[in-house]
């Protein structure tokens, strides 16, 4: 991460880095509140931190699901968070034409798992010169993600991160194969474990994705133990009232205790 984001605080600490924040930007006050709390925690424990928030949710089960507060409004909130707290920010993009627009506001562009094979999207993201975080498709092997990495690097951008978020297991569940972390690290890029989306339970008959947040700690501990460079954890002060993915987010009050445990594991295995 030192070469990818030179401004990332504590990148020499030996800790894993953290991508964390709400699933979606629901409003300025909420986003600032979450960012301030996580910055306090990560500064205290010297954990490099990247604020995460989606400016728009394009992949929804139902047409009446929350998608966002407006692209420009949400992106400006992300930009403000980056400036006020002096931290990098990351958001997802969904189409090639969104890459340049989003790059004007954030430091890292994230490619959603379902779109990780979209060549035009990967090339457009690469051409911005930003760090590109590619989420592994639930339908792909870890080994096949080398081709996604190659698309970005062959476009002239060496700044790539890969994020695992589990594999489709039947119709309504996901399972994490931790062998994928060292396999993807062999491509010469940092590898992140998405500890919240990997616990989703999609395709519920209600049209609202379920989840198992009680297992976030289990997934996170295992990921650090096998060498993950970073963790992706969506968090919210009121997950039950979150407008997107509340069923699998970590309650904000639980974050520090979890990170303390994970820092100890990191120290033990390095």
């Amino acid at each position: 991460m030192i070469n990818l984001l030179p401004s990332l605080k504590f990148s020499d600490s030996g800790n894993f880095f953290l991508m964390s924040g709400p699933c979606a930007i629901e409003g300025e006050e909420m986003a600032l509140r979450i960012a301030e709390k996580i910055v306090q925690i990560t500064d205290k424990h010297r954990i490099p931190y990247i604020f995460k928030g989606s400016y728009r949710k394009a992949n929804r089960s139902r047409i009446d699901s929350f998608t966002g507060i407006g692209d420009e409004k949400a992106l400006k909130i992300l930009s403000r968070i980056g400036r006020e707290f002096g931290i990098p920010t990351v958001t997802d993009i969904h189409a090639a034409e969104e890459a340049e627009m989003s790059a004007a506001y954030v430091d890292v562009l994230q490619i959603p798992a379902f779109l990780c094979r979209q060549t035009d999207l990967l090339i457009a993201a690469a051409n911005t010169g930003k760090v590109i975080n590619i989420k592994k498709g639930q339908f792909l092997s870890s080994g096949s993600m080398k081709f996604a990495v190659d698309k970005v690097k062959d476009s002239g951008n060496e700044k790539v991160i890969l994020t695992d978020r589990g594999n489709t297991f039947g119709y309504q569940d996901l399972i994490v194969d931790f062998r994928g972390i060292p396999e993807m690290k062999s491509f010469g890029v940092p590898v992140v474990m998405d500890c919240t989306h990997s616990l989703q339970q999609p395709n519920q008959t209600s049209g609202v994705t379920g989840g198992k947040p009680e297992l976030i700690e289990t997934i996170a501990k295992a990921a650090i133990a096998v060498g993950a460079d970073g963790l992706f954890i969506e968090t919210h002060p009121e997950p039950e009232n979150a407008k997107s993915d509340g069923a699998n987010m970590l309650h904000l009050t639980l974050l520090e205790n979890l990170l303390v445990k994970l820092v100890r594991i990191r120290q033990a295995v390095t």
Side-chain angles (χ1 to χ4, degrees):
M1 285 300 292
I2 294 175
N3 293 330
L4 297 188
L5 286 167
S7 63
L8 193 64
K9 290 191 296 183
F10 314 125
S11 57
D12 61 348
S13 66
N15 269 331
F16 55 88
F17 64 93
L18 177 68
M19 293 184 181
S20 187
C23 177
I25 299 297
E26 301 175 5
E28 187 170 64
E29 186 278 332
M30 177 69 76
L32 289 168
R33 174 183 169 191
I34 294 171
E36 181 178 26
K37 180 62 177 178
I38 302 178
V39 166
Q40 290 172 354
I41 294 169
T42 52
D43 280 2
K44 178 180 177 181
H45 300 286
R46 293 182 57 80
I47 298 170
Y49 174 48
I50 304 169
F51 178 86
K52 183 271 169 184
S54 296
Y55 71 87
R56 173 160 38 89
K57 301 301 295 181
N59 178 21
R60 302 285 84 192
S61 297
R62 300 186 339 196
I63 197 169
D64 60 348
S65 297
F66 174 80
T67 57
I69 60 174
D71 293 357
E72 187 176 16
K73 183 177 180 180
L75 285 167
K76 285 182 176 179
I77 291 171
L78 286 163
S79 180
R80 178 182 173 185
I81 287 170
R83 292 192 312 272
E84 290 199 7
F85 296 104
I87 55 174
T89 54
V90 57
T91 197
D92 344 47
I93 59 172
H94 320 91
E97 57 269 22
E98 297 178 18
E100 186 174 355
M101 172 188 71
S102 301
Y105 296 92
V106 301
D107 305 280
V108 182
L109 299 180
Q110 182 168 285
I111 308 300
F114 280 123
L115 301 177
C116 68
R117 283 174 50 92
Q118 296 299 107
T119 301
D120 59 342
L121 178 59
L122 289 166
I123 292 173
N127 288 341
T128 67
K130 296 290 185 175
V131 176
I132 311 303
N133 179 36
I134 312 172
K135 284 200 166 183
K136 186 188 80 65
Q138 305 93 317
F139 46 88
L140 291 177
S141 68
S142 298
S144 64
M145 290 304 293
K146 183 179 185 301
F147 301 109
V149 172
D150 289 345
K151 288 177 183 178
V152 175
K153 290 189 173 183
D154 290 346
S155 299
N157 188 337
E158 296 287 323
K159 297 179 287 189
V160 186
I161 300 170
L162 287 179
T163 295
D164 195 350
R165 47 102 8 108
N167 305 291
T168 299
F169 188 73
Y171 290 113
Q172 294 177 317
D173 207 358
L174 298 165
I175 191 167
V176 177
D177 181 353
F178 287 98
R179 297 174 299 177
I181 291 177
E183 182 171 16
M184 291 192 291
K185 286 184 67 169
S186 72
F187 307 152
V189 300
V191 174
V192 174
M193 184 70 235
D194 183 340
C195 305
T196 44
H197 288 98
S198 61
L199 291 168
Q200 282 184 332
Q201 292 185 303
N203 305 317
Q204 300 298 307
T205 55
S206 64
V208 178
T209 298
K212 294 182 176 180
E214 67 275 11
L215 293 176
I216 291 171
E217 181 171 326
T218 300
I219 297 294
K221 286 178 174 177
I224 294 300
V226 300
D229 300 289
L231 297 176
F232 181 107
I233 301 175
E234 288 187 341
T235 184
H236 195 284
E238 299 177 17
E240 65 279 8
N241 294 320
K243 295 183 178 179
S244 176
D245 279 1
N248 53 270
M249 275 198 277
L250 182 71
H251 197 291
L252 186 58
T253 58
L254 301 177
L255 182 62
E256 183 170 15
N257 184 55
L258 172 59
L259 292 176
V260 168
K261 295 177 183 178
L262 298 174
V263 168
R264 290 174 183 161
I265 294 172
R266 174 76 168 194
Q267 292 169 344
V269 299
T270 56

